[in-house]
Amino acid sequence: MISKRLLLLELLIKSRSGLNILRHSKDKSRRGKVIGEAIGFGMLDIVLLGFCILVSLLFGFNGYPEMIPMTAASVVILLSFILTVFRTNGYLFNFKEYDMLMAMPFSVKDVVSSKFLYMYYRTDIFVVFLSLSMLAGYCISGNGSVISAIVWIVLSFFLPIVPMILASAFGMLIAKVGSLFKHKVIIQTVLTVILVMPAFFMNYFMNRLFANGDVSEAAMKVAGVSGKVGSMLPGVNAFTKSVIELSILHMILIIAVSVVLFEVFFYIVSKFYRQLNSKLSAKTKHTKYVAKKSVKRTVAASVAYKEFKRFTGSANYMSNVVIGIAMMFLVSIGLIIVNFKIPIKSVLYDAPFSMTMVYSAIPLIVYFMTGMVATTAVTPSLEGNNYWIMKSLPIDPKDDAKGKMIFNMWVELPVSLFATLVITYFSGAGFVQILLNLVLMTALCVFSTVYGLVCGLKHRKLDWENEIEVIKQGMAVTAYIIPHMVITMVVGGLSFAVSYLVDPRIVSTVLILIMILLTFLSYLRVKSLIKKGA
Amino acid sequence: MSSVLEIRNYTKSYGGHVKACDNVNLTVEAGDLYAFIGHNGAGKSTTIRAVVGVLAFEEGEIFIDGHSVKKESLECKKLTAYIPDNPDLYENLTGIQYLNFVADAFDISAEERDSLIKLYADKFEITDALADLIGSYSHGMKQKVALIGALIHKPKLMVLDEPFVGLDPKASFILKEIMRELCESGSAVFFSTHVLDVAEKLCNKIAIIKGGKIIAEGKMEDLVGDKSLEEVFLEVTDHDK
């Protein structure tokens, strides 16, 4: 029944709405956090708006206006797919209020479809915003009409449905396969990473196209790739034809396929939804504990071990965190196996310059991929409702922080060092440069760990309904990502530019000193936040 | 008397070989106040979750007022109220928003819900806090809101998992009164508890579960006789080792 579905959807939206907190909470700091988050996301949206308009103008003013709706549709479809894959486990399954909702007089189809619609709502806010930003660029560059704009807006709301359903189907399949194994979390994580990795490599490939700075050539290349991507993704051509040719047939096709697939998919899913959830939530003991001699650890090591168990106990957490690490590891292994000149040249964007100029930037390239671990691994937010445990135990907050940092370093550092070593070595650098790059990589990892903790402490969020809300989402992640991007892109670019004039070993040394300084400043901030009881 | 809850040969296994519940049979009739007791991990919650339609099961049948939980899940849920041992309520909703949601889910008219919410909120002395976010409530207050949500649709069968945990003495007393009233009005209450004194004083029927199997079941007076429930419980659970 649609009314029950909407009732549930309304509840889900309201129960996570910052507006509801603003209206009813008497806690000033909580209200302040909601406002702060809104401002943070608003700023991020402005950046994205600007980027989307720029990309649209790039196409529009270089003679490829048809590529704007095609790119918009591709972005909407790909992003909807990726975001849903990561969210399925936690939004559709294993959610906190499962017992409460399933015991109420809602049909299984209503429960699961309303959870999907809530996920759609969360995804839609983001992807439709991107799509409409590109529409703005499309109109600014003198294309389209009022009718095509209306078609664009309406279809933007339907376009994410099919990829989200497909991603949910994959997510369910992954959950189903995982549930057959004892180590279901590991299996689910591996399958999720395998599923989304091609999309991340596609992103890298797109970035390469802007490498030489020639705007019109880049537009041509991107147009070519967008065309190819668009032709591969069902729905892109239909969207493009609907907007440009105002093809009613294609409009109906998008809407009808979305609605019919939605109903059919959730009719089928509702048949085995309870069984699947029961299997996923089964926590039976297959082994009998045999008392062994205990090992006494330091408090920090014990906290780090606890964090490690949290990490390996959640497919959401692991798949979100290991994707960059796994990619860097695969690239490094690939460099060892294949002729290293080709991929190194590819990584360096076929640059018409000496290899020595990029030596000092190599750790930054690696850091771009692996440094995202610290958005999650050091945050106290993951404690959620269990936060009382840490608070009530006689644990010095510094030890808690140390433990989380040790764990972060444990995840981030080994692959970062390995990748830096392999890439620097195969790029032909000498011993001193390799050593400096390894030190710089270590400094970057330490910085990311400490700065990640600053963001985690400053923007701690314990009242989440689902851990995915603090993994790769939320204010702490946004606060981390912006300097992360600045360091990797701006500093990386600067180090490259300076290496034209100065010996890269000097550049690396200066970068190491800068990172030590930044780490020290972050460390002071951590101390102050801990002192304040953050 | 008509049976409100009937569990027939209910078996729940995990991974095909670990049986959490094994051939459970029991009947709760209208007017029964039925206690379900057992050690931790005995299979109480696994049975309760299957009764309320949360947990899928393959073997056996469960009927609520004649409706099959497997085949007529929605009908069964309309007749049942369920409170888990640790109710996960929406922390960012206010108490009244949550109760209105429950009332909507059960299609309760505005007038009826207003009077029932007021009645029970006043009884549990939580009326003033209903405009606050649930996240700001204590465990006991959350439990009270969950209880009001369970009561406002006048359930035919009320299923509670450890309902007295976290409630203050007055709220516990009121809950016991409400349970009695509910049973007197022709409904039935089925609940798990570790508080044997309460079960003994409150209930007319009882089942003891151990290792997923019902090891004792029947009328309280028949089962307990002139002993205490605690003694009987320890006797039967130890004897079954």
Side-chain angles (χ1 to χ4, degrees), chain A residues 28-29 42 79 87 112 115-116 199 253 256 399 404 418 529:
Chain A
K28 274 187 182 173
S29 71
L79 272 178
R87 284 174 174 165
V112 67
K115 291 294 287 185
F116 175 86
L253 191 69
D399 284 328
K404 287 184 166 65
F418 176 66
L529 285 166

Side-chain angles (χ1 to χ4, degrees), chain A residues 359-368 420 424 437-438 440-441 444:
Chain A
Y359 287 162
S360 57
I362 289 171
L364 293 157
I365 296 167
V366 176
Y367 174 61
F368 182 75
T420 305
T424 315
N437 274 6
L438 291 175
L440 177 57
M441 190 69 246
L444 283 163

Side-chain angles (χ1 to χ4, degrees), chain A residues 4 7 11 15 20 24-26 30 96-100 102-107 274 278 282 284 465, chain B residues 14 17 49 53-56 74 77-78 82 88 90-94 97 101-102 104-106 132-133:
Chain A
K4 292 262 174 169
L7 173 69
L11 168 92
S15 71
N20 212 38
H24 300 287
S25 179
K26 289 168 186 162
R30 200 160 175 224
K96 217 172 150 186
E97 73 278 20
Y98 174 79
D99 279 22
M100 186 194 82
M102 291 298 284
M104 281 191 169
F106 297 114
S107 69
R274 264 195 306 190
S278 300
T284 48
E465 300 278 344
Chain B
Y14 291 109
H17 56 281
R49 291 180 80 228
V54 171
L55 191 70
L74 206 55
K77 288 175 188 180
K78 284 178 185 168
Y82 168 54
D88 273 321
Y90 292 103
E91 306 262 311
N92 289 340
L93 290 184
T94 63
Q97 283 174 335
F101 160 70
V102 176
D104 284 334
F106 283 94
D132 296 336
L133 292 177

Side-chain angles (χ1 to χ4, degrees), chain A residues 148-307:
Chain A
S148 64
I150 293 169
V151 170
W152 185 312
I153 293 166
V154 172
L155 292 187
S156 290
F157 288 94
F158 283 95
L159 215 48
I161 295 175
V162 174
M164 283 183 70
I165 288 173
L166 290 177
S168 299
F170 278 119
M172 286 182 189
L173 197 66
I174 288 170
K176 173 80 183 162
V177 172
S179 72
L180 301 174
F181 293 87
K182 189 181 171 190
H183 298 289
K184 57 188 171 199
V185 173
I186 307 280
I187 301 292
Q188 284 169 7
T189 305
V190 171
L191 293 175
T192 307
V193 169
I194 289 170
L195 184 66
V196 297
M197 204 167 266
F200 277 85
F201 275 114
M202 196 178 284
N203 177 51
Y204 149 75
F205 183 59
M206 293 289 279
N207 287 341
R208 274 202 67 218
L209 297 167
F210 290 95
N212 67 359
D214 183 333
V215 174
S216 59
E217 194 184 326
M220 191 185 75
K221 282 182 179 177
V222 176
V225 173
S226 291
K228 279 179 190 163
V229 171
S231 63
M232 285 190 290
L233 296 173
V236 171
N237 279 332
F239 180 80
T240 310
K241 284 188 174 154
S242 301
V243 169
I244 296 174
E245 298 169 18
L246 298 177
S247 160
I248 294 180
L249 180 72
H250 286 97
M251 289 179 217
I252 293 171
L253 191 69
I254 291 176
I255 296 170
V257 168
S258 305
V259 173
V260 171
L261 194 63
F262 178 88
E263 290 297 333
V264 171
F265 179 70
F266 286 105
Y267 174 76
I268 297 167
V269 167
S270 63
K271 299 289 170 201
F272 62 88
Y273 184 65
R274 264 195 306 190
Q275 283 87 337
L276 187 53
N277 262 292
S278 300
K279 276 190 178 174
L280 287 173
S281 62
K283 288 184 175 71
T284 48
K285 288 175 186 168
H286 296 287
T287 50
K288 280 204 165 184
Y289 175 70
V290 180
K292 292 176 196 159
K293 200 173 187 309
S294 298
V295 179
K296 189 182 184 307
R297 300 185 179 93
T298 61
V299 174
S302 203
V303 170
Y305 181 72
K306 172 181 75 75
E307 292 303 317

